Amino acid sequence: MPSRLSLRHSIASGLRRRVAAGDLAPGERLPSEPQLAKTLGVSRSSLRAAIALLEEDGLVQRLHGSGTYVTHRPVMRNDLSRNFGVSSMIASMGLEAGTVDEHCGLEPAPALVAEALELEAGEPVTALRRVRTADDRRVVYSVDWCRRDVLSPERMRDLGDGSVYDALADLDLPVHHGVATISPGMAGGEVAERLDVPRGSLLLTLFQVDSTADGHVVLVSEEHHLADAFEVTVYRRGPGEGSEQV
Amino acid sequence: MPSRLSLRHSIASGLRRRVAAGDLAPGERLPSEPQLAKTLGVSRSSLRAAIALLEEDGLVQRLHGSGTYVTHRPVMRNDLSRNFGVSSMIASMGLEAGTVDEHCGLEPAPALVAEALELEAGEPVTALRRVRTADDRRVVYSVDWCRRDVLSPERMRDLGDGSVYDALADLDLPVHHGVATISPGMAGGEVAERLDVPRGSLLLTLFQVDSTADGHVVLVSEEHHLADAFEVTVYRRGPGEGSEQV
DNA sequence: GCCTCCAAGTTGTACGACAACTTCGCTATG
DNA sequence: CATAGCGAAGTTGTCGTACAACTTGGAGGC
């Protein structure tokens, strides 16, 4: 296991902190690369690689011959571009995240889930159903599906407050990326009851398929968010540069 | 104006093409960096910078001491992570995109729009309202707001089928990124009428703020999508690495 | 058969040099 | 005095080489 993350990532992480802390204000120019590399005690190559990461994130902008400037970054509440899970989503809004009505067991896999996990429809899979709360208010009803030979119901039950992502990372199956399908919806019988809202309440539903770096699907989940629970945002990179519509 | 895009971006673009074309199959290992650099006629530094871009996109994965491998990338219908506009969204599904009920003029800016454009609420702004069709079916009702001193109503009317993004790019104000807020909704009076659907029909609404590279907001838009019109997906990078929740 | 170790190959980092570009002050010119 | 042009200094972009860190596979010994 690599365990130690690469130098450029730790440099980038440090710079991110400085930007977030306001040490580097928006619009401000960073020290020149040779100088900054010297003060950080790294080579200019590694520093450039780190800055490239920030640039890709839209945190800074590089101008040839002029300098590197901190971008006026918009305030984003909950960026879907990164994968954090509901808990940190709630925590990031200053609310206390909790879990109620947790239930875990073997269930026959729905068609879409089975397809993603490369199983036959109806085959038993580990399913974790729970209601997430923010300051004791029920805001999200979620279901996580996982192959039983990857995460048994017992093991999934044991993780308690730990994220499913952490459990998978411990198994050397870290989630590298996921694809979420977003759709509006109205609370039906089960969801309305779990979330304790009237039927027909507006929902934002995320159907998500998570994969490891080598492309194996390890987790499928469905999250029903109350419409007014949080603001969900997405960072969209502009057209141009490397963009191919598939 | 830079006009010419940097070397590493053109290298990355070429590699993206090769991946998309299947020349480089998922799971396959790329040639080693020195060798690939030689065949492409560029230095290893530039090639590495280009590969870093692909890695950030999740297209490839680098393993220290082993090699660089093409990721098994999931098939995505409409990736919100990139900014294409409704037209190409429709076109990418094999449908014919059209526009009806187009109206453009000066309107008082709503509060949220005025705030984003750094104006006083109620100040007149250029507004473009239109209904987008897919194979003659009304699927999206959209409104675009822009400062009148940036894009006059006349000019915005003239662009016809051209994208608003193109018009802004011509003005040397290319959209670098945007932040979209996603929410579910039900069709009210105006939207229901425009889209020719019953009131209360399910919608997916995107409120989006587009900015230039230096962070100036140049465009605000609202898109009301019919719930069953298309599947909207988001590519979410996994937890870990450089991630700070703000 | 199994384990150890080594060698070859690959990516990560470092350092130095120069090219391409921007910025700004200085100067010559009207 | 105003202005256009020049040029030096500073910054990012690219190049080349060398070495470190790591993985992989096979040879060799037990």
Side-chain angles (χ1 to χ4, degrees):
Chain A
M1 199 163 53
S3 77
R4 203 192 67 203
L5 81 178
S6 71
L7 179 56
R8 59 166 186 273
H9 282 104
S10 62
I11 298 176
S13 178
L15 290 178
R16 255 186 269 264
R17 254 199 313 273
R18 290 181 60 178
V19 170
D23 181 14
L24 299 170
E28 189 177 343
R29 198 186 75 185
L30 268 66
S32 74
E33 293 179 355
Q35 182 180 337
L36 190 53
K38 192 179 169 190
T39 58
L40 293 179
V42 298
S43 78
R44 196 187 153 207
S45 328
S46 301
L47 175 61
R48 277 185 62 77
I51 295 181
L53 293 176
L54 299 193
E55 189 186 24
E56 193 69 357
D57 278 358
L59 250 75
V60 299
Q61 180 193 18
R62 290 207 270 207
L63 291 182
H64 190 181
S66 175
T68 304
Y69 301 85
V70 180
T71 314
H72 296 80
R73 200 177 167 72
V75 281
M76 301 188 57
R77 300 292 166 73
N78 286 302
D79 186 3
L80 280 189
S81 306
R82 290 198 182 266
N83 220 338
F84 285 104
V86 181
S87 303
S88 44
M89 211 161 166
I90 295 173
S92 74
M93 302 193 64
L95 305 177
E96 194 183 353
T99 304
V100 295
D101 279 5
E102 191 167 331
H103 176 73
C104 186
L106 284 181
E107 297 182 12
L112 281 177
V113 176
E115 184 187 357
L117 291 174
E118 293 178 6
L119 296 171
E120 299 297 317
E123 223 172 313
V125 291
T126 304
L128 174 62
R129 298 173 175 270
R130 43 187 175 167
V131 173
R132 322 300 285 269
T133 60
D135 277 358
D136 293 329
R137 180 187 171 213
R138 294 166 179 242
V139 287
V140 176
Y141 175 50
S142 71
V143 190
D144 295 282
W145 291 278
C146 192
R147 293 180 69 116
R148 59 187 299 193
D149 53 358
V150 171
L151 220 54
S152 66
E154 294 75 27
R155 184 145 194 175
M156 210 175 202
R157 222 188 315 259
D158 283 348
L159 55 86
D161 267 6
S163 158
V164 180
Y165 294 128
D166 293 340
L168 288 171
D170 286 344
L171 292 172
D172 223 29
L173 291 172
V175 169
H176 178 261
H177 65 269
V179 173
T181 304
I182 307 173
S183 56
M186 290 192 287
E190 186 195 1
V191 180
E193 185 181 343
R194 298 285 185 134
L195 289 178
D196 196 22
V197 294
R199 290 197 183 199
S201 297
L202 271 177
L203 300 175
L204 192 68
T205 299
L206 294 174
F207 183 82
Q208 184 162 334
V209 178
D210 290 317
S211 313
T212 57
D214 56 1
H216 282 75
V217 174
V218 289
L219 183 67
V220 178
S221 63
E222 193 175 44
E223 298 175 2
H224 300 277
H225 295 240
L226 275 190
D228 56 348
F230 3 67
E231 227 174 45
V232 171
T233 59
V234 181
Y235 182 82
R236 309 185 68 182
R237 277 188 279 176
E241 298 192 4
S243 38
E244 311 272 306
Q245 185 72 307
V246 209
Chain B
M1 196 167 55
S3 77
R4 203 191 67 202
L5 79 180
S6 71
L7 178 57
R8 59 164 185 275
H9 281 104
S10 61
I11 299 177
S13 179
L15 290 178
R16 255 186 268 264
R17 254 200 312 276
R18 290 181 59 178
V19 171
D23 181 14
L24 299 170
E28 192 177 340
R29 199 187 73 185
L30 269 65
S32 75
E33 293 179 356
Q35 183 180 337
L36 190 52
K38 191 179 170 189
T39 58
L40 292 179
V42 297
S43 77
R44 195 188 153 203
S45 326
S46 303
L47 174 62
R48 276 186 63 78
I51 294 182
L53 294 176
L54 298 193
E55 188 185 26
E56 195 68 357
D57 278 359
L59 249 73
V60 299
Q61 182 193 17
R62 290 208 268 207
L63 291 181
H64 189 181
S66 174
T68 305
Y69 301 84
V70 181
T71 314
H72 295 80
R73 202 177 166 72
V75 281
M76 302 188 56
R77 299 291 167 74
N78 285 303
D79 187 2
L80 281 189
S81 306
R82 290 197 182 269
N83 221 339
F84 286 103
V86 180
S87 303
S88 44
M89 210 161 164
I90 295 173
S92 74
M93 301 193 65
L95 305 177
E96 193 184 354
T99 304
V100 296
D101 280 4
E102 192 166 331
H103 177 72
C104 185
L106 284 180
E107 297 182 12
L112 281 177
V113 176
E115 185 187 356
L117 291 174
E118 292 177 8
L119 296 172
E120 299 296 317
E123 223 171 314
V125 292
T126 304
L128 174 62
R129 297 173 176 271
R130 43 187 173 164
V131 173
R132 322 300 286 268
T133 59
D135 278 359
D136 293 328
R137 180 187 172 212
R138 294 165 178 244
V139 287
V140 176
Y141 176 50
S142 72
V143 190
D144 295 280
W145 291 279
C146 192
R147 292 181 71 115
R148 60 187 300 193
D149 54 356
V150 171
L151 221 53
S152 67
E154 295 74 27
R155 185 145 194 174
M156 211 174 199
R157 224 190 314 261
D158 283 349
L159 54 86
D161 266 6
S163 158
V164 181
Y165 294 128
D166 293 340
L168 288 171
D170 287 344
L171 292 172
D172 222 29
L173 290 172
V175 169
H176 177 261
H177 66 270
V179 173
T181 304
I182 307 173
S183 56
M186 290 192 288
E190 185 196 0
V191 180
E193 186 181 340
R194 299 282 186 138
L195 289 179
D196 195 23
V197 293
R199 291 197 183 198
S201 297
L202 271 178
L203 300 174
L204 192 67
T205 300
L206 284 124
F207 183 81
Q208 184 162 332
V209 178
D210 290 317
S211 314
T212 57
D214 57 1
H216 281 76
V217 175
V218 289
L219 183 67
V220 178
S221 62
E222 192 174 47
E223 299 174 2
H224 300 277
H225 295 240
L226 276 189
D228 56 348
F230 4 67
E231 224 173 47
V232 172
T233 59
V234 182
Y235 182 82
R236 310 186 68 181
R237 279 186 280 173
E241 296 191 4
S243 38
E244 309 273 303
Q245 186 72 307
V246 208

